[in-house]
Amino acid sequence: MTLNYYQNNAQTFFDGTVNVDMSSLYESFTRHLPPGANVLDAGCGSGRDAKAFHEMGYQVEAFDASSEMVVLASQHTGLSVKQMTFADVDAQQRYDGIWCCASLLHVPSQELPAAMLNLANALKPGGIWYMSFKYGDGEREKDGRQFTDMNETSLKALLETMPKIEIESLWTTQDKRPNRDETWLNALLRKQSSTTGFPLAS
């Protein structure tokens, strides 16, 4: 359902999102990254954020589930954007930072723990992880897209299933697009470095 929406509305979505000013969110993420960091833009949509991080000097990989969005994002960023889903992420401790801007919110709630575990495994110890959800609680469908909404309580409960992921900060913002009055929940997470991690099970 959601994938069909992006396949059929890729150009419209691209045009509506590619020029949104996200600089304040970038700053909250990039200040935690080392120079030249490996960054994954997971569910990159238009490629707006991947392009911005690439221009900041980071080593950027990006993917999206929609083949139509991948074509547009590749053209926009000059990067070889991959077509894949969160379930396809199999990297281990590869990225210094993972960026999930308005992407995990399309994963059904019962599939979210597995999707997020894949991403957590792909993050280096000490790495930083940004994600955003529309503010709310529960699943809904709107205009042909599936949404899993989150508030502070539901997100914290979800993260309790991932013991090495700690919350750096949670905050809400208003939608950056004109004529949109939605509230977003933003989360900045950090993966514990192995020195402070939990002991391995014997």
Side-chain angles (χ1 to χ4, degrees):
M1 176 176 68
T2 301
L3 183 57
N4 286 340
Y5 173 92
Y6 286 106
Q7 291 291 79
N8 297 330
N9 299 277
Q11 190 66 55
T12 303
F13 182 81
F14 179 94
D15 293 343
T17 57
V18 72
N19 293 317
V20 178
D21 180 6
M22 303 290 282
S23 52
S24 61
L25 290 174
Y26 295 157
E27 201 280 324
S28 65
F29 176 68
T30 58
R31 67 169 180 243
H32 297 280
L33 295 174
N38 280 338
V39 173
L40 175 65
D41 187 349
C44 67
S46 68
R48 171 196 65 208
D49 305 334
K51 184 173 191 281
F53 296 138
H54 180 63
E55 290 175 348
M56 292 176 200
Y58 298 115
Q59 304 299 312
V60 181
E61 295 177 35
F63 72 81
D64 199 88
S66 161
S67 60
E68 295 293 328
M69 291 306 311
V70 165
V71 170
L72 293 173
S74 297
Q75 292 170 349
H76 181 61
T77 61
L79 301 169
S80 57
V81 177
K82 295 179 182 175
Q83 182 189 356
M84 55 188 276
T85 68
F86 297 112
D88 299 322
V89 176
D90 58 4
Q92 297 290 315
Q93 301 188 10
R94 178 178 176 86
Y95 303 105
D96 300 289
I98 296 178
W99 179 262
C100 295
C101 182
S103 55
L104 283 166
L105 50 69
H106 291 313
V107 179
S109 61
Q110 67 187 37
E111 297 172 21
L112 256 180
M116 290 176 63
L117 187 60
N118 283 355
L119 292 165
N121 288 336
L123 193 60
K124 291 179 183 177
I128 203 77
W129 185 6
Y130 169 80
M131 62 182 66
S132 60
F133 294 86
K134 290 181 190 268
Y135 195 89
D137 189 18
E139 295 182 83
R140 61 191 167 88
E141 190 248 319
K142 183 183 179 188
D143 300 333
R145 288 188 292 173
Q146 155 110 18
F147 290 96
T148 299
D149 297 337
M150 287 280 169
N151 58 31
E152 293 89 347
T153 303
S154 53
L155 183 58
K156 285 176 181 175
L158 179 60
L159 292 170
E160 282 175 4
T161 66
M162 290 183 286
K164 292 202 170 182
I165 300 296
E166 299 174 332
I167 298 173
E168 284 269 321
S169 54
L170 289 175
W171 73 102
T172 56
T173 50
Q174 296 307 117
D175 201 295
K176 306 281 186 188
R177 292 167 290 182
N179 308 316
R180 300 291 281 266
D181 60 357
E182 295 168 298
T183 301
W184 290 80
L185 178 67
N186 304 271
L188 204 60
L189 314 173
R190 187 180 294 280
K191 186 174 185 175
Q192 291 176 346
S193 56
S194 49
T195 53
T196 59
F198 292 84
L200 295 172
S202 55

